[in-house]
Amino acid sequence: MNAEQRSTQVNDANGEVNAAPIIRGHTVANPQDATAWSASTRPLPEEIAKELDLLAFAGDCGMLFMRDGVGLAARGTAFHIPVPGGTAAVGHVRTILSALVTDDPMHRAASGPVAIGALEFLPHDPGYLTVPELLVAKSSDGTAWVTRVYRSDDDSNRPPASTPLDASELVGPTSSGWSPHGFDLHSTVTHQQWCERIATAVATINEGSLEKVVLARAVDVEATEPLIIGEILGRLRALFPSCMVFHVDGFLGASPELLVSRKGSAVRAHPLAGTIARSGDPETDARLAASLLASTKDRWEHSLVIDAMAALLRPLCDELDVPRTPTVLSLRNVSHLATLITGSLRAENVHDRSSPTALELAGLLHPTPAVGGVPLDLALATISELEPVPRGRYAGPVGWVDAAGNGEWAVGLRSAQVSGNRARMHAGGGIVADSDPVAELTETQLKLQALLAAVVRP
């Protein structure tokens, strides 16, 4: 990957985010073109699978999506799949992946050709997914496999019939950079300006047309040397092992929020809404968690998210379990209200492949009220008016989908867009009628601190 392939970059001239996708290399926009490509999947030997470190395989330039050591990592680009209609129009992706000539004896989620991507927050903004040349995946049962994607007419790149990977290939290129020794942080708005914008949003809500809006502010980091992505990912993994650690084209983070996953007919979502700080003292944190569960404001804000997602998923499922009471998800410095939604897609649709893929489910749900607001159109208009910096891929879907429709998509939170020695990160909070601007500012500071702990090395 090079800088030209990034769909979102920090512009050196003015620090603004350029959200227009720039794609270099092969693109496949229709199934007919995809037939020129082949995919070959082979299991990795048990001794290699046991030692497989996905982060080490991805290195600084590879793609990564993992949690608790399980997930996938990839290097190189076979081709890109343009998504000109944004998350609102992604139905062509499965058709393209299914058109590859595929040799996949495993038939598991994430085997065969896989498309990986981080899409824009605004649902109609264009983006792209990447089908990597070389992908390794590791499941929770310890099984691992490798998939190569290559031009069908390129005999020089055709993989052998046996496993095309050994232990020496499991480590990515060693970084040649020096870790930065100095950092400069700059908020795109002052604290006072941000509190004034929160107050404006609260006034709009109290007028009656808007119920909730999620507002985010941006902070830019400039380092003395280029930021080393592999090191940042390593710190994120150490700090947030239970979160989904990801990297796609300079966009990286550790998301605590599962937008949606699909494995066969099984569907899961784990939305978060409602936040409180942690103290580090177990007794104090227990009291804080209890107060979060008892908070009328936070429970109502959370219910907006759950009700909206359940209403969208229920018509697609034979069964959908939506717990009536949320739980508390505790992270390093904050806790969130969380609800695990599980369901089963309609069996007849899964059988005839007419059921939505994981990516299509992500497109259906995104943006949820947890990152957008209610009603959505008015919330997006308010975000455009009050946020001085476009979000780019912050809070957009990030994850993967395979040809069978399996996949996993996180919400791109606790994230940063890294380019050279610069990084831009966002943090936001849900604004409702009784939101306090100072408390909302504090919430964004807590969320930013979690990411800064990985980006800005002490």
Side-chain angles (χ1 to χ4, degrees):
M1 188 277 298
N2 57 51
E4 290 179 315
Q5 291 174 312
R6 295 178 181 144
S7 67
T8 309
Q9 300 181 43
V10 176
N11 185 290
D12 288 343
N14 54 29
E16 294 183 353
V17 172
N18 171 19
I22 302 173
I23 306 175
R24 297 288 184 268
H26 294 288
T27 62
V28 173
N30 59 71
Q32 183 177 355
D33 291 341
T35 59
W37 295 84
S38 295
S40 174
T41 297
R42 293 292 182 269
L44 287 171
E46 183 178 348
E47 62 274 13
I48 292 181
K50 184 178 180 180
E51 301 299 323
L52 175 60
D53 183 338
L54 296 171
L55 193 153
F57 179 83
D60 290 331
C61 298
M63 292 170 283
L64 179 71
F65 192 89
M66 62 172 285
R67 177 174 52 192
D68 291 326
V70 171
L72 51 82
R75 296 205 299 258
T77 298
F79 59 86
H80 300 290
I81 302 176
V83 184
T87 56
V90 292
H92 64 294
V93 175
R94 172 168 52 183
T95 307
I96 288 174
L97 292 175
S98 299
L100 271 72
V101 179
T102 300
D103 177 13
D104 176 17
M106 302 197 67
H107 301 291
R108 298 185 58 150
S111 68
V114 172
I116 306 172
L119 298 174
E120 303 290 315
F121 168 74
L122 290 176
H124 295 283
D125 277 4
Y128 64 88
L129 304 179
T130 299
V131 176
E133 287 182 319
L134 183 64
L135 177 142
V136 294
K138 188 173 185 178
S139 69
S140 57
D141 64 7
T143 305
W145 56 92
V146 57
T147 298
R148 288 188 186 271
V149 175
Y150 56 96
R151 291 279 302 192
S152 303
D153 57 1
D154 184 0
D155 291 334
S156 66
N157 198 35
R158 187 181 301 275
S162 60
T163 301
L165 199 65
D166 58 40
S168 66
E169 296 181 86
L170 292 179
V171 179
T174 303
S175 172
S176 58
W178 294 92
S179 297
H181 63 272
F183 301 87
D184 179 55
L185 274 62
H186 171 70
S187 179
T188 55
V189 294
T190 67
H191 289 180
Q192 180 179 345
Q193 289 171 331
W194 187 245
C195 288
E196 290 172 352
R197 292 172 194 222
I198 298 298
T200 299
V202 170
T204 301
I205 291 169
N206 286 326
E207 290 173 358
S209 54
L210 182 65
E211 289 188 79
K212 173 188 175 181
V213 63
V214 179
L215 294 180
R217 67 186 185 97
V219 169
D220 290 338
V221 175
E222 184 170 0
T224 51
E225 285 84 27
L227 295 162
I228 300 176
I229 286 174
E231 288 189 1
I232 297 173
L233 293 172
R235 290 192 285 271
L236 287 172
R237 178 173 64 176
L239 292 169
F240 308 104
S242 63
C243 291
M244 289 161 280
V245 177
F246 61 85
H247 173 231
V248 180
D249 296 348
F251 183 63
L252 57 80
S255 176
E257 185 164 0
L258 174 66
L259 176 60
V260 68
S261 71
R262 176 190 159 182
K263 185 175 182 181
S265 63
V267 174
R268 297 173 72 250
H270 201 195
L272 314 178
T275 304
I276 199 166
R278 298 190 68 198
S279 69
D281 174 69
E283 291 186 3
T284 301
D285 286 340
R287 289 195 297 270
L288 289 169
S291 70
L292 181 62
L293 278 170
S295 168
T296 301
K297 167 189 174 293
D298 289 296
R299 288 288 292 270
W300 182 76
E301 180 187 344
H302 188 79
S303 69
L304 288 176
V305 179
I306 304 309
D307 292 347
M309 295 181 69
L312 290 169
L313 290 173
R314 192 167 281 115
L316 302 172
C317 296
D318 286 326
E319 300 176 0
L320 190 71
D321 180 37
V322 185
R324 298 184 64 180
T325 303
T327 59
V328 175
L329 175 67
S330 295
L331 301 173
R332 185 169 177 264
N333 64 341
V334 296
S335 294
H336 300 289
L337 289 180
T339 296
L340 178 61
I341 300 172
T342 58
S344 179
L345 293 173
R346 295 192 181 280
E348 65 273 18
N349 294 338
V350 172
H351 179 72
D352 66 13
R353 293 175 63 89
S354 65
S355 60
T357 67
L359 176 59
E360 289 171 301
L361 290 170
L364 174 70
L365 296 172
H366 174 78
T368 74
V371 294
V374 178
L376 180 59
D377 288 347
L378 184 54
L380 292 179
T382 304
I383 289 169
S384 177
E385 177 185 353
L386 295 180
E387 288 188 12
V389 173
R391 293 186 180 186
R393 293 188 282 193
Y394 164 74
V398 54
W400 60 272
V401 65
D402 67 17
N406 304 301
E408 189 169 14
W409 292 86
V411 182
L413 303 173
R414 309 296 194 276
S415 58
Q417 182 68 46
V418 176
S419 181
N421 68 329
R422 295 189 176 189
R424 169 164 289 168
M425 55 194 70
H426 294 76
I431 312 304
V432 293
D434 54 352
S435 290
D436 175 66
V438 175
E440 298 296 338
L441 173 67
T442 300
E443 181 177 329
T444 64
Q445 290 174 316
L446 287 168
K447 292 174 178 176
L448 286 166
Q449 286 169 7
L451 188 60
L452 285 168
V455 175
V456 179
R457 193 180 70 166

